[in-house]
Amino acid sequence: MSEIIKENKKLKKKNTAFTNSEEIVNDYYIANISRQLSILGRKEVLTGKAKFGIFGDGKEIAQIAMAKSFKTGDWRSGYYRDQTFMLASGMLTPEEFFAQLFGETQLSKNPANGGRLMNNHYASRSLNDDGSWKDLTTQKNSSADISPTAGQMPRLLGLAYASKLFRENKDLHQFKGFSNKGNEVAFGTIGDSSTSEGHFWEAINAAGVLKVPMAMSVWDDGWGISVPNKYQTTKSNISEVLKGFELDENGDGYLIYKAKGWDYEGLCKLYAEGVELCRKNHVPTLFHISEMTQPLGHSTSGSHERYKSEERLNWEKEYDPIKKMREWILSNKISDEEQLSQIESKAIDKVKEARRIAWNHFIEPIKKEREELIYLVQNAGCHCKKTDRIDAITNSLKKIIHPVRKDNFSAAKKILRYICSTCENYKPLKSQLQEWLKNSLDQNYARYSSHLYSETSLGVRNIVSIAPVYSENSKMVNGREVLRDNFELLFTKYPLLLTFGEDTGFIGGVNQSLEGMQQKFGELRVTDTGIREASIIGQGIGMALRGLRPIAEIQYFDYLLYALQTMSDDLATMQYRTKGGQKAPLIIRTRGHRLEGIWHSGSPLSMVINSIRGVHVCVPRNMTVAAGFYNTLLESDEPALVIEPLNGYRLKEKRPDNLGEFNTPLGIPEILSEGTDITLVTYGSCVRIAEDAVKQLKDFDISVELIDVQTLLPFDVNGIILKSIKKTSRVVFFDEDVPGGATAFMMQKVLEDQKAYFYLDSEPRTITAKDHRPAYGTDGDYFSNPNAEDVFELIYEMMRESNPDKFKSIYIK
């Protein structure tokens, strides 16, 4: 019989009830504080002080019981109704609850997200101000929440898997600030209806396969907004459906527990038992907590009276968990009516005071800004005809009871329009107001737009560039060997580095670029996974949050679309939505471009670059450039996607002598051939096609400056393309994305951002693939994707437009 099952039976015999009456009464106080936060928070939204509210009413008792087993060093990946858990675990104060509701931007008042997210979206701060790691084992940790339902599940898998690695890989025991030898549990929470999402099932299956310490709680109140769970879950019961996952005699599977959301004593015993086993034996555990209520409805956007029957509403009143806990306390003579009434009154007073404090902290700086603006305008002494209009704007601003920064900034911009150009006060007032606007814009950038990328010394922009070194002894090898040998040096250099993905481990990758790596570094560092792209990315995010340096491999670029939501909503926003409080420097490795057929063509770049701002996108033309990107990224603290050119693994490249040391800078294009007539801008596998076209054009006396952008995010940070256009006065953007895709992105960056439009003598052009995905076969590829002849023809015609006498017509129109 499994040792886990034996230990489970022993624990069931232990008395795990909480007999400390003072602790029980304090739990009742926390429950009442949380409920009052929900009630008063809802009122703040409905009276206009806050924009939107979603609360944890009805979930109080179960979350208090769960918090008792949440220890220092543990992690949460949760659900937007976990306010009671955050209160009970000491990671949230009532003042911070209201600060988040109001959108407070001061991190000292709203440390979870600094006003970046709506309420009930939590995060602990893992980083110091300089971006260095705090000791994560000395604090309780919450990964940063996101709103998409079940979006927390992929990340939860990685948080739990990190504990397994820190326990089983003895070389990681030295990193004491990240883990106490894998003793940490990752706590997940989710609403019952969200278990319908694919992310839930993918992560649940993977956690069972990997055998990780994941304690998963499902809050089941019977509804998903207005849709009952009979439409959500087979048999209307998630634990019943998951019976096939239950722990067997071989120790495979989950411990599955069921309890009622109003049963305080039972819940305390349940969590104490289940989490202890989860922590000790690294067995995933599921807690299905049913008969929960939601007395205030789904959110401030609607009322549950519209879709719940009178019978159901009456049941929810009778089985309100706080009411049932009160009854249990009285029946067990733990406290009396008078004391409980005092606690309830105390909770109301505490929440009201917290609201007052948080509101004053939020509103007073904005009012002060308004006063400064009005003083500036009214003391200028301007008496021109437009004063009435200025007075009307300032008077209107004064009358706003609860101003926001938008009101102040908008008023200042409008006033600036009406300052006269004749009176003596024109120049000082206009300059002072412009200075006020500039300062305000700078401050609001810091409040609302900072930290999309790293702002630390480890940001990719600060990594010193080191070029590949070659000598007479440098060998010509297959491109895959450059990658393989470079990875071997990196794995030796960085003990926190690991890689995982489909076919990544035993066979060394589908293109053999990890050949022999698992045999040398072990299965814990070079690992195969199941076919589950979304949770592969989530697994990497969770590990990166815990200090590891994962490279998550997605076999082909097209398959990345399975994981795009996780990349977009979670990874790309991590530093931004925590205002620099958390980082996940995950490297995503994949391959694409120019393979045959609809689902292996691998070039939907515009779909990616426009949805994962916050993640760098590297598009190397060969494996040496790709290896340089990995070297750069592992020195930095930022996430990135590297798309290796699929047709380059067996092409010959010269092997650099300084593998593992040289790096490819991000955002710096490389000029591959200098020219004077036209600038050709491309990347990735299209570089080889462009090089072919450049040779063909040279035969016709057309000099092309070929530029490989190397990365799309960031893009040409030093304006190298602009300098080329100033010389050539013509530009073509070339790739194999769809029309209006990444070529349009590049064109906008160069013509608009770099102002290259003013230096053009011909209209800018793009060369792209067809609107459809590539057809199968060599001919399907040729007639679907752009080729060297297409590049030749377009550039030749552009030159003919400017000099038809020199460049005679070739093609019949």
Side-chain angles (χ1 to χ4, degrees), residues 105-173:
T105 58
Q106 298 180 78
L107 285 174
S108 60
K109 305 296 188 296
N110 184 6
N113 58 62
R116 302 276 165 96
L117 297 172
M118 66 178 66
N119 78 303
N120 249 321
H121 288 64
Y122 300 107
S124 54
R125 301 199 73 74
S126 302
L127 308 176
N128 298 307
D129 290 342
D130 64 356
S132 61
W133 291 99
K134 293 184 176 182
D135 187 338
L136 304 180
T137 67
T138 62
Q139 64 181 37
K140 293 179 178 179
N141 302 286
S142 174
S143 61
D145 293 336
I146 58 176
S147 292
T149 54
Q152 70 273 31
M153 293 297 301
R155 177 190 345 122
L156 172 65
L157 173 67
L159 292 169
Y161 184 61
S163 288
K164 176 176 180 173
L165 294 173
F166 279 118
R167 175 175 288 187
E168 297 185 11
N169 183 352
K170 301 298 189 292
D171 292 338
L172 296 180
H173 290 182

Side-chain angles (χ1 to χ4, degrees), residues 690-705:
E691 288 174 330
D692 184 7
V694 168
K695 290 178 183 177
Q696 296 179 34
L697 288 160
K698 188 175 182 181
D699 291 341
F700 287 77
D701 197 26
I702 297 175
S703 175
V704 179
E705 183 135 297

Side-chain angles (χ1 to χ4, degrees), residues 409-430:
F409 198 82
S410 176
K413 282 200 160 187
K414 291 174 182 176
I415 290 169
L416 191 62
R417 302 170 189 168
Y418 294 115
I419 297 174
C420 66
S421 57
T422 56
C423 71
E424 61 183 13
N425 291 308
Y426 160 68
K427 289 184 178 179
L429 176 56
K430 192 156 192 172

Side-chain angles (χ1 to χ4, degrees), residues 493-565:
K493 182 178 181 180
Y494 298 106
L496 290 167
L497 177 62
L498 55 116
T499 187
F500 56 98
E502 301 156 12
D503 299 312
T504 297
F506 182 73
I507 69 169
V510 290
N511 297 102
Q512 294 288 283
S513 54
L514 291 167
E515 179 188 21
M517 298 285 286
Q518 187 179 82
Q519 290 79 0
K520 181 165 186 175
F521 295 102
E523 289 187 42
L524 291 174
R525 297 191 66 191
V526 184
T527 309
D528 286 313
T529 70
I531 301 175
R532 48 176 182 83
E533 286 80 9
S535 58
I536 286 174
I537 299 301
Q539 190 173 329
I541 294 171
M543 286 190 284
L545 281 169
R546 296 194 58 184
L548 294 165
R549 292 308 309 265
I551 298 176
E553 182 174 327
I554 302 298
Q555 196 163 88
Y556 296 109
F557 185 34
D558 300 271
Y559 302 165
L560 193 74
L561 301 189
Y562 282 103
L564 190 58
Q565 184 270 331

Side-chain angles (χ1 to χ4, degrees), residues 42-50 402:
R42 183 178 177 85
K43 290 180 180 177
E44 294 299 279
V45 175
L46 298 180
T47 56
K49 285 185 178 179
H402 303 310

Side-chain angles (χ1 to χ4, degrees), residues 164 244 248 285 413 428 442 540 640 724:
K164 176 176 180 173
D248 63 18
T285 307
K413 282 200 160 187
D442 291 343
S724 176

Side-chain angles (χ1 to χ4, degrees), residues 38-239:
S38 297
I39 293 171
L40 201 52
R42 183 178 177 85
K43 290 180 180 177
E44 294 299 279
V45 175
L46 298 180
T47 56
K49 285 185 178 179
K51 292 286 289 184
F52 176 80
I54 193 161
F55 307 104
D57 47 293
K59 316 294 186 290
E60 294 91 354
I61 304 307
Q63 292 185 18
I64 288 171
M66 181 175 71
K68 291 178 182 296
S69 296
F70 190 79
K71 296 183 178 181
T72 300
D74 285 347
W75 280 84
R76 165 190 170 272
S77 183
Y79 171 51
Y80 45 68
R81 299 195 187 279
D82 284 351
Q83 71 198 45
T84 312
F85 174 80
M86 297 298 291
L87 286 165
S89 61
M91 291 192 285
L92 176 71
T93 68
E95 290 79 8
E96 289 169 351
F97 173 90
F98 282 111
Q100 198 177 82
L101 189 69
F102 297 140
E104 173 64 69
T105 58
Q106 298 180 78
L107 285 174
S108 60
K109 305 296 188 296
N110 184 6
N113 58 62
R116 302 276 165 96
L117 297 172
M118 66 178 66
N119 78 303
N120 249 321
H121 288 64
Y122 300 107
S124 54
R125 301 199 73 74
S126 302
L127 308 176
N128 298 307
D129 290 342
D130 64 356
S132 61
W133 291 99
K134 293 184 176 182
D135 187 338
L136 304 180
T137 67
T138 62
Q139 64 181 37
K140 293 179 178 179
N141 302 286
S142 174
S143 61
D145 293 336
I146 58 176
S147 292
T149 54
Q152 70 273 31
M153 293 297 301
R155 177 190 345 122
L156 172 65
L157 173 67
L159 292 169
Y161 184 61
S163 288
K164 176 176 180 173
L165 294 173
F166 279 118
R167 175 175 288 187
E168 297 185 11
N169 183 352
K170 301 298 189 292
D171 292 338
L172 296 180
H173 290 182
Q174 62 181 300
F175 298 100
K176 297 180 180 179
F178 293 141
S179 175
N180 179 20
K181 297 180 180 179
N183 193 47
E184 302 81 20
V185 171
F187 286 69
T189 63
I190 195 169
D192 177 68
S193 59
S194 295
T195 64
S196 301
E197 295 277 14
H199 283 355
F200 174 82
W201 291 97
E202 192 171 312
I204 286 289
N205 180 58
V209 170
L210 295 172
K211 298 183 179 180
V212 294
M214 183 174 87
M216 184 71 226
S217 294
V218 179
W219 309 137
D220 184 359
D221 59 23
W223 299 81
I225 309 183
S226 66
V227 181
N229 62 9
K230 69 179 181 179
Y231 296 121
Q232 307 277 3
T233 308
T234 303
K235 300 182 180 180
S236 301
N237 189 316
I238 190 63
S239 56

